[in-house]
Amino acid sequence: EEHPSFASTLYTMAQCRQEKGEYDAALDLLERCRDIQASSLGEEHPSFANTLYTMAQCRQEKGEYDAALDLLERCRDIQASSLGEEHPSFASTLYTMAQCRRNKGEHDAALGLLERCRDIQASTLGEEHPSFANTLATIAQCHMQKGEYDAALELLERCRHIYASTLGEE
């Protein structure tokens, strides 16, 4: 029960629980997975970071934003050193951190994270990628929540064009 393959099975089981909305059960599995990964792979391994990320998603779904942010900050630091700060996984972590900040009403902090995420996505995925558009849409939501409707509309118009060209208008 200390082998990385066992941890991988626990992780996949946790993903199933997460998809079913069973966040506490998922967290129990993820905590066991994390502990095995820490002892078998080390706390700087990308798989360990992925487990922290999934734990953070569960905490976020439960409305536990501070706990999620603590996990995401550790995840971000591991990804920065193991994958680099231009990696799409690093951008995803920033995006999820921004969602937590936004849910806490910290719109300026969320915008800073989202803008960094947007820049990474632009250079790695391109400015016509649906994930790039999703980030722009979330930036627009922050602007809306701050009462900055013109900035939001400009971004949303850009999103509309990206979605229309990549996904179609229907």
Coordinates of all heavy atoms in Angstrom, one line a residue, residues 101-152:
R101 N -10.1 33.4 -5.3 CA -10.0 34.8 -4.9 C -11.3 35.5 -5.3 O -11.8 36.3 -4.6 CB -8.8 35.5 -5.6 CG -7.5 35.0 -5.1 CD -7.2 35.4 -3.7 NE -5.9 35.0 -3.3 CZ -5.5 34.9 -2.0 NH1 -6.3 35.3 -1.1 NH2 -4.3 34.5 -1.7
R102 N -11.8 35.2 -6.5 CA -13.0 35.8 -7.0 C -14.2 35.5 -6.1 O -15.0 36.3 -5.7 CB -13.3 35.4 -8.4 CG -14.3 36.3 -9.1 CD -14.4 35.9 -10.6 NE -15.8 35.6 -10.7 CZ -16.3 34.5 -11.3 NH1 -15.4 33.6 -11.8 NH2 -17.5 34.2 -11.3
N103 N -14.3 34.2 -5.7 CA -15.3 33.7 -4.8 C -15.3 34.4 -3.4 O -16.3 34.5 -2.8 CB -15.3 32.2 -4.7 CG -15.8 31.5 -5.9 OD1 -16.5 32.1 -6.7 ND2 -15.3 30.3 -6.2
K104 N -14.1 34.8 -3.1 CA -13.9 35.5 -1.8 C -14.1 37.0 -1.9 O -14.0 37.7 -0.9 CB -12.5 35.3 -1.2 CG -12.2 33.9 -0.8 CD -10.8 33.7 -0.3 CE -10.6 34.6 1.0 NZ -9.3 34.4 1.6
G105 N -14.4 37.5 -3.1 CA -14.7 38.9 -3.4 C -13.4 39.7 -3.6 O -13.4 40.9 -3.6
E106 N -12.2 39.0 -3.8 CA -10.9 39.6 -4.0 C -10.7 39.8 -5.5 O -9.9 39.1 -6.1 CB -9.9 38.8 -3.3 CG -10.1 38.7 -1.8 CD -9.1 37.7 -1.1 OE1 -8.2 37.1 -1.8 OE2 -9.3 37.5 0.1
H107 N -11.4 40.7 -6.1 CA -11.4 40.8 -7.6 C -10.1 41.3 -8.1 O -9.7 40.8 -9.2 CB -12.6 41.7 -8.0 CG -13.9 41.2 -7.5 ND1 -14.4 40.0 -7.8 CD2 -14.8 41.8 -6.7 CE1 -15.6 39.8 -7.2 NE2 -15.8 40.9 -6.5
D108 N -9.4 42.2 -7.5 CA -8.1 42.6 -8.0 C -7.1 41.5 -7.9 O -6.3 41.4 -8.9 CB -7.7 43.9 -7.2 CG -8.5 45.1 -7.5 OD1 -9.0 45.2 -8.7 OD2 -8.6 46.0 -6.6
A109 N -7.0 40.8 -6.8 CA -6.1 39.7 -6.7 C -6.4 38.6 -7.8 O -5.5 38.1 -8.4 CB -6.2 39.0 -5.3
A110 N -7.7 38.4 -8.0 CA -8.1 37.4 -9.1 C -7.7 37.9 -10.4 O -7.2 37.1 -11.2 CB -9.6 37.2 -9.0
L111 N -7.9 39.2 -10.7 CA -7.4 39.7 -12.0 C -6.0 39.6 -12.3 O -5.5 39.2 -13.4 CB -7.8 41.2 -12.1 CG -9.3 41.5 -12.5 CD1 -9.6 42.9 -12.3 CD2 -9.6 41.0 -13.9
G112 N -5.1 39.8 -11.2 CA -3.7 39.6 -11.4 C -3.3 38.2 -11.8 O -2.5 38.0 -12.7
L113 N -4.0 37.2 -11.1 CA -3.7 35.8 -11.4 C -4.2 35.5 -12.8 O -3.6 34.7 -13.6 CB -4.4 34.9 -10.4 CG -3.8 35.0 -9.0 CD1 -4.7 34.5 -7.9 CD2 -2.4 34.2 -8.9
L114 N -5.4 36.0 -13.2 CA -6.0 35.7 -14.5 C -5.2 36.3 -15.6 O -5.1 35.6 -16.7 CB -7.4 36.1 -14.5 CG -8.4 35.3 -13.7 CD1 -9.7 36.1 -13.5 CD2 -8.7 34.0 -14.3
E115 N -4.7 37.4 -15.4 CA -3.9 38.1 -16.5 C -2.6 37.3 -16.7 O -2.2 37.1 -17.8 CB -3.6 39.5 -16.1 CG -4.9 40.4 -16.2 CD -4.8 41.7 -15.6 OE1 -3.8 42.1 -15.0 OE2 -5.8 42.5 -15.7
R116 N -2.0 36.8 -15.6 CA -0.8 35.9 -15.8 C -1.2 34.6 -16.5 O -0.4 34.2 -17.4 CB -0.2 35.6 -14.4 CG 1.0 34.7 -14.4 CD 2.3 35.4 -14.9 NE 3.4 34.5 -14.9 CZ 4.0 34.0 -16.0 NH1 3.5 34.3 -17.2 NH2 5.0 33.1 -15.9
C117 N -2.3 34.0 -16.1 CA -2.8 32.8 -16.8 C -3.0 33.1 -18.3 O -2.6 32.3 -19.1 CB -4.1 32.4 -16.1 SG -4.9 31.0 -16.8
R118 N -3.7 34.2 -18.6 CA -4.0 34.6 -20.0 C -2.7 34.7 -20.8 O -2.6 34.1 -21.9 CB -4.7 35.9 -20.0 CG -4.9 36.5 -21.4 CD -5.1 38.0 -21.4 NE -3.9 38.6 -20.8 CZ -3.9 39.8 -20.2 NH1 -5.0 40.5 -20.1 NH2 -2.8 40.4 -19.8
D119 N -1.6 35.3 -20.2 CA -0.4 35.4 -20.9 C 0.3 34.1 -21.2 O 0.8 33.9 -22.3 CB 0.6 36.3 -20.1 CG 0.1 37.8 -20.0 OD1 -0.9 38.2 -20.8 OD2 0.6 38.5 -19.1
I120 N 0.2 33.2 -20.2 CA 0.8 31.8 -20.4 C 0.0 31.1 -21.5 O 0.6 30.5 -22.4 CB 0.8 31.1 -19.1 CG1 1.7 31.7 -18.1 CG2 1.2 29.6 -19.3 CD1 1.5 31.2 -16.6
Q121 N -1.3 31.2 -21.4 CA -2.1 30.5 -22.4 C -1.9 31.1 -23.8 O -1.9 30.3 -24.8 CB -3.6 30.6 -22.0 CG -3.9 29.7 -20.8 CD -5.4 29.9 -20.4 OE1 -5.9 31.0 -20.6 NE2 -6.0 28.9 -19.8
A122 N -1.7 32.4 -23.9 CA -1.5 33.0 -25.2 C -0.2 32.4 -25.8 O -0.2 32.1 -27.0 CB -1.4 34.5 -25.1
S123 N 0.8 32.3 -25.0 CA 2.1 31.8 -25.6 C 2.2 30.3 -25.8 O 2.9 29.8 -26.6 CB 3.3 32.3 -24.7 OG 3.2 31.7 -23.4
T124 N 1.4 29.5 -25.0 CA 1.4 28.1 -25.1 C 0.3 27.5 -25.9 O 0.5 26.5 -26.7 CB 1.5 27.4 -23.7 OG1 0.3 27.8 -23.0 CG2 2.7 27.8 -22.9
L125 N -0.9 28.0 -25.8 CA -2.0 27.4 -26.5 C -2.4 28.3 -27.7 O -3.0 27.8 -28.7 CB -3.2 27.4 -25.6 CG -3.1 26.6 -24.3 CD1 -4.3 26.7 -23.4 CD2 -2.8 25.1 -24.6
G126 N -2.1 29.6 -27.7 CA -2.5 30.5 -28.7 C -3.8 31.2 -28.3 O -4.6 30.8 -27.5
E127 N -4.0 32.4 -29.0 CA -5.1 33.3 -28.6 C -6.4 32.9 -29.3 O -7.4 33.6 -29.1 CB -4.7 34.7 -29.0 CG -3.6 35.2 -28.1 CD -3.4 36.7 -28.2 OE1 -4.2 37.4 -28.8 OE2 -2.3 37.2 -27.8
E128 N -6.4 31.8 -30.0 CA -7.7 31.3 -30.6 C -8.2 30.0 -29.9 O -9.2 29.4 -30.3 CB -7.5 31.0 -32.1 CG -7.2 32.3 -32.9 CD -8.2 33.3 -32.7 OE1 -9.4 33.0 -32.9 OE2 -7.9 34.5 -32.5
H129 N -7.5 29.6 -28.8 CA -7.9 28.4 -28.1 C -9.1 28.6 -27.2 O -9.1 29.7 -26.5 CB -6.7 27.9 -27.3 CG -6.8 26.5 -26.8 ND1 -7.5 26.2 -25.7 CD2 -6.3 25.3 -27.3 CE1 -7.4 24.9 -25.5 NE2 -6.7 24.3 -26.5
P130 N -10.0 27.7 -27.1 CA -11.1 27.9 -26.2 C -10.7 28.1 -24.7 O -11.4 28.9 -24.0 CB -11.9 26.6 -26.3 CG -11.6 26.1 -27.7 CD -10.1 26.5 -27.9
S131 N -9.7 27.5 -24.2 CA -9.2 27.8 -22.8 C -8.8 29.2 -22.6 O -9.0 29.8 -21.6 CB -8.1 26.8 -22.5 OG -8.5 25.5 -22.4
F132 N -8.2 29.8 -23.7 CA -7.8 31.2 -23.6 C -9.1 32.0 -23.5 O -9.2 33.0 -22.7 CB -7.0 31.6 -24.9 CG -6.6 33.0 -24.9 CD1 -5.5 33.4 -24.2 CD2 -7.3 33.9 -25.7 CE1 -5.1 34.8 -24.3 CE2 -6.9 35.2 -25.8 CZ -5.8 35.7 -25.1
A133 N -10.1 31.7 -24.3 CA -11.4 32.4 -24.3 C -12.0 32.2 -22.9 O -12.6 33.2 -22.4 CB -12.3 31.9 -25.4
N134 N -12.0 31.1 -22.3 CA -12.5 30.9 -21.0 C -11.9 31.8 -20.0 O -12.6 32.4 -19.1 CB -12.4 29.4 -20.5 CG -13.2 28.4 -21.3 OD1 -14.2 28.8 -22.0 ND2 -12.9 27.2 -21.2
T135 N -10.6 32.0 -20.1 CA -9.9 32.9 -19.2 C -10.3 34.3 -19.4 O -10.6 35.0 -18.4 CB -8.4 32.7 -19.3 OG1 -8.0 31.3 -19.0 CG2 -7.6 33.6 -18.4
L136 N -10.4 34.7 -20.7 CA -10.9 36.0 -20.9 C -12.3 36.2 -20.4 O -12.6 37.3 -19.8 CB -11.0 36.3 -22.5 CG -9.6 36.3 -23.2 CD1 -9.9 36.6 -24.7 CD2 -8.7 37.4 -22.6
A137 N -13.2 35.2 -20.5 CA -14.5 35.3 -19.9 C -14.5 35.5 -18.4 O -15.3 36.3 -17.9 CB -15.4 34.1 -20.3
T138 N -13.6 34.8 -17.8 CA -13.5 35.0 -16.3 C -13.0 36.3 -15.9 O -13.4 36.9 -14.9 CB -12.7 33.8 -15.7 OG1 -13.2 32.6 -16.1 CG2 -12.6 33.9 -14.2
I139 N -12.0 36.8 -16.7 CA -11.5 38.2 -16.5 C -12.7 39.2 -16.7 O -12.9 40.1 -15.8 CB -10.4 38.6 -17.5 CG1 -9.1 37.7 -17.1 CG2 -10.0 40.0 -17.4 CD1 -8.0 37.8 -18.2
A140 N -13.5 39.0 -17.7 CA -14.7 39.8 -17.9 C -15.6 39.8 -16.7 O -16.2 40.8 -16.3 CB -15.4 39.4 -19.2
Q141 N -15.8 38.6 -16.1 CA -16.7 38.5 -15.0 C -16.2 39.3 -13.8 O -16.9 39.9 -13.1 CB -16.9 37.0 -14.6 CG -17.7 36.2 -15.5 CD -17.7 34.7 -15.2 OE1 -16.9 34.2 -14.5 NE2 -18.6 34.0 -15.9
C142 N -14.8 39.3 -13.6 CA -14.3 40.1 -12.6 C -14.5 41.6 -12.8 O -14.9 42.3 -11.9 CB -12.7 39.9 -12.5 SG -12.3 38.3 -11.7
H143 N -14.3 42.0 -14.1 CA -14.6 43.4 -14.4 C -16.1 43.7 -14.1 O -16.4 44.8 -13.6 CB -14.2 43.7 -15.9 CG -12.8 43.9 -16.1 ND1 -12.0 44.8 -15.4 CD2 -11.9 43.1 -16.8 CE1 -10.7 44.7 -15.8 NE2 -10.6 43.7 -16.7
M144 N -17.0 42.8 -14.5 CA -18.4 43.1 -14.2 C -18.7 43.2 -12.7 O -19.4 44.1 -12.3 CB -19.2 41.9 -14.8 CG -19.4 41.9 -16.3 SD -20.3 40.4 -16.9 CE -21.7 40.4 -15.9
Q145 N -18.1 42.4 -11.9 CA -18.3 42.4 -10.5 C -17.7 43.7 -9.9 O -18.1 44.1 -8.8 CB -17.7 41.2 -9.8 CG -18.5 40.0 -10.1 CD -17.8 38.6 -9.8 OE1 -16.6 38.5 -9.9 NE2 -18.6 37.7 -9.3
K146 N -16.8 44.3 -10.6 CA -16.2 45.6 -10.2 C -16.9 46.8 -10.8 O -16.6 47.9 -10.5 CB -14.7 45.7 -10.6 CG -13.8 44.7 -9.8 CD -12.4 44.8 -10.3 CE -11.8 46.2 -10.0 NZ -10.4 46.3 -10.3
G147 N -18.0 46.5 -11.6 CA -18.7 47.6 -12.2 C -18.1 48.1 -13.5 O -18.5 49.2 -14.0
E148 N -17.1 47.5 -14.0 CA -16.4 47.9 -15.2 C -16.9 47.2 -16.4 O -16.3 46.3 -17.0 CB -14.9 47.6 -15.0 CG -14.3 48.3 -13.8 CD -12.9 47.8 -13.4 OE1 -12.4 46.8 -14.0 OE2 -12.3 48.4 -12.5
Y149 N -18.1 47.6 -16.8 CA -18.9 46.9 -17.8 C -18.3 47.1 -19.2 O -18.4 46.1 -20.0 CB -20.4 47.4 -17.8 CG -21.0 47.2 -16.4 CD1 -21.3 48.2 -15.5 CD2 -21.2 45.9 -16.0 CE1 -21.8 48.0 -14.3 CE2 -21.7 45.6 -14.7 CZ -22.0 46.7 -13.9 OH -22.6 46.4 -12.6
D150 N -17.8 48.2 -19.5 CA -17.2 48.4 -20.9 C -16.0 47.5 -21.1 O -15.9 46.8 -22.2 CB -16.8 49.8 -21.1 CG -18.0 50.8 -21.3 OD1 -19.1 50.2 -21.6 OD2 -17.9 52.0 -21.0
A151 N -15.2 47.3 -20.1 CA -14.0 46.4 -20.2 C -14.5 45.0 -20.3 O -14.0 44.2 -21.1 CB -13.1 46.6 -18.9
A152 N -15.5 44.7 -19.6 CA -16.1 43.3 -19.6 C -16.7 43.0 -21.0 O -16.4 42.0 -21.6 CB -17.2 43.1 -18.6

